[in-house]
Amino acid sequence: MSSRCLSDEAFAIAGEIVAAYGRQYLVDCGESGLIASTPRGKKSIYACGDRVAVRATGPGEGVIETAMPRKTEFFRASARRAKLIAVNATQVAVVAAAEPSFSDEFIARVLLAAERQGLRAMLVLNKADLAAPFARARERIRPFEQAGYRVVELAARHDVEPLRPHLAGMVTILAGQSGMGKTTIINSLVPGANSATREISHFLDSGRHTTAHARLYRLDAETALVDCPGLQQFGLAHLAFRDIEWGFPELRALIGACRFQDCRHATEPGCAIREACAHGAIHPRRLALFHRIASEAAKR
Ligand SMILES: Nc1nc2c(ncn2[C@@H]2O[C@H](COP(=O)(O)OP(=O)(O)OP(=O)(O)O)[C@@H](O)[C@H]2O)c(=O)[nH]1
Ligand SMILES: [Mg+2]
Ligand SMILES: [Zn+2]
């Protein structure tokens, strides 16, 4: 193919990044289809959910020229760097299940990140068909429910409809540890997601069963779902003590109410938060999780 032909035909197309893998991005350009794109510069600065302008360089191939400003960024952070998971989302749904066992600290961390990053947060408790372990899981989720988080219970394998009303008009990131059922939920909600996943896995890397990269599925102009790889860790190295305090909604309401301005809600006299906990207004498990997560911030 001559270069003249290419440059004549090249033009910028608006699209949305639906999958990101290293320096490779898959951009959904609507009627122009999916375009496998690379960024113009050296860095892989884009993420799933970015609205971009792509210049076609060949059939199904292109270069990302620019991106629109982001409305939100959802990321985790180690001491060394922040890792973007998805951008322009409006909600995070943390998925937990009857089995395998989950970490409630992981859930607290994801909810905290969502609070700090301006996203709405909710919980999904999956595998309701496994009666005994589900009852135990429900007990472990209760502290979050008491803190005000909405919990939707379902058995994704059988019926995902209970979740649908909570997704309409939102761009929801399904986050959670591996095996909780995120992909199962998406496959049931999104027509054609199953085959799209296979196609994209083929494009991006392997045919692995477990989700390896974030992937965005659009349901309509306002509604989308982001499937995330299962994570074991959710670093919050960017947060200071006061950020963490603010990120627990039931603690936020009491900020400034303690006798000492610099109260760490540990052993100080006149602590409004420990008092609220003693009276049952704050769940002791939530306070324990707060102390655990905040102790990391104190070390920095
Ligand atoms: N019993 C039962 N099993 C389920 C249900 N939903 C999902 N599973 C099973 O749980 C396993 C894990 O489901 P996935 O959807 O792959 O989990 P995931 O959260 O996407 O996992 P990663 O991609 O590794 O993060 C699969 O074998 C599913 O069939 C459910 O409602 N009940
Ligand atoms: Mg998955
Ligand atoms: Zn206090």
Side-chain angles (χ1 to χ4, degrees):
M1 199 185 300
S2 80
S3 60
R4 191 191 63 82
C5 168
L6 267 185
S7 60
D8 281 351
E9 280 173 10
F11 60 97
I13 313 163
E16 179 175 41
I17 296 182
V18 293
Y21 176 47
R23 276 174 45 78
Q24 280 275 45
Y25 298 95
L26 201 60
V27 184
D28 185 348
C29 293
E31 284 176 4
S32 304
L34 288 173
I35 301 185
S37 310
T38 51
R40 182 166 281 293
K42 262 194 179 161
K43 285 192 181 155
S44 35
I45 51 171
Y46 304 112
C48 201
D50 259 324
R51 303 272 185 171
V52 295
V54 172
R55 187 169 292 277
T57 54
E61 284 176 18
V63 168
I64 300 174
E65 296 281 354
T66 52
M68 303 257 288
R70 293 167 178 164
K71 293 196 187 93
T72 63
E73 293 185 328
F74 186 63
F75 62 92
R76 58 199 172 98
S78 67
R80 275 177 294 118
R81 66 188 196 105
K83 197 154 168 42
L84 269 180
I85 296 165
V87 302
N88 293 326
T90 56
Q91 174 169 254
V92 175
V94 190
V95 184
E99 61 177 41
S101 71
F102 60 84
S103 153
D104 62 348
E105 182 180 339
F106 177 91
I107 293 173
R109 287 171 168 275
V110 178
L111 294 173
L112 174 52
E115 296 281 347
R116 292 297 327 175
Q117 294 159 18
L119 289 104
R120 233 162 74 175
M122 62 174 289
L123 282 151
V124 177
L125 194 56
N126 187 27
K127 311 198 190 183
D129 52 309
L130 307 173
F134 188 79
R136 287 193 292 274
R138 185 189 259 160
E139 277 308 305
R140 295 189 64 215
I141 289 300
R142 206 180 291 283
F144 297 98
E145 208 165 9
Q146 191 190 319
Y149 290 103
R150 180 186 292 130
V151 180
V152 175
E153 300 183 350
L154 50 77
R157 220 182 237 178
H158 306 293
D159 183 17
V160 288
E161 289 312 310
L163 189 54
R164 206 182 284 277
H166 304 284
L167 306 175
M170 309 288 283
V171 177
T172 305
I173 298 170
L174 293 189
Q177 293 167 283
S178 191
M180 297 298 155
K182 301 176 294 295
T183 302
T184 305
I185 291 169
I186 287 183
N187 285 342
S188 315
L189 283 166
V190 186
N194 234 325
S195 54
T197 304
R198 273 199 299 276
E199 203 177 300
I200 278 134
S201 302
H202 176 73
F203 160 75
L204 289 175
D205 55 353
S206 56
R208 286 199 294 164
H209 203 65
T210 165
T211 312
H213 308 282
R215 167 81 170 96
L216 184 145
Y217 300 89
R218 200 151 265 290
L219 284 165
D220 58 52
E222 283 82 39
T223 312
L225 288 168
V226 179
D227 193 6
C228 282
L231 301 168
Q232 281 311 321
Q233 306 275 337
F234 201 97
L236 298 166
H238 58 299
L239 297 182
F241 183 88
R242 294 293 166 208
D243 301 324
I244 297 167
E245 191 181 50
W246 187 93
F248 278 66
E250 72 273 46
L251 269 61
R252 187 186 309 159
L254 287 168
I255 290 175
C258 301
R259 185 180 305 164
F260 300 108
Q261 280 304 302
D262 61 351
C263 187
R264 297 246 157 189
H265 325 307
T267 54
E268 296 87 344
C271 173
I273 283 171
R274 281 211 331 283
E275 226 160 80
C277 190
H279 291 114
I282 291 175
H283 196 289
R285 183 59 189 160
R286 285 279 290 175
L287 188 57
L289 289 169
F290 164 76
H291 280 305
R292 214 184 147 109
I293 297 169
S295 69
E296 277 173 27
K299 282 184 216 132
R300 285 197 298 275

